[in-house]
Amino acid sequence: MSIGEMISKIEELKELQALIREAEAEAEKLENELKAEMLKAEAEEMNVGRYVVRWTSVTSNRFNSKMLQDAMPDVYKLYVRPSYSKRFSITG
């Protein structure tokens, strides 16, 4: 692939990423408007035509690895393992 082709692909990628950000912002705005309506109605679930809209509270239990690391560093070291990945970025 030539430099010119790569530049063209990078520019197309940046345009598509900008469109995605705009669409995500618009989707978030619509979601917030629906949530506001549900708050106003004091409802966690609403039947809206053929749709059921839910905005419910969820409780999750998460492991606090920082606390284990502080309290029992030797045990923490026994169970921690490295994670490898590659990061793609374009600057400019």
Side-chain angles (χ1 to χ4, degrees), residues 8-61:
S8 176
K9 289 186 182 295
I10 289 169
E11 289 171 351
E12 183 180 359
L13 175 61
K14 290 202 166 282
E15 287 175 17
L16 289 171
Q17 289 171 333
L19 285 171
I20 289 168
R21 282 191 298 274
E22 289 173 22
E24 286 175 341
E26 183 65 23
E28 185 176 346
K29 178 184 170 200
L30 294 172
E31 187 176 295
N32 287 336
E33 289 173 5
L34 292 167
K35 289 176 182 178
E37 194 62 30
M38 294 179 80
L39 276 175
K40 191 169 111 179
E42 297 181 359
E44 285 193 346
E45 182 175 304
M46 293 178 76
N47 291 308
V48 184
R50 64 185 176 121
Y51 301 101
V52 176
V53 183
R54 292 182 186 90
W55 187 31
T56 56
S57 299
V58 177
T59 301
S60 298
N61 293 314

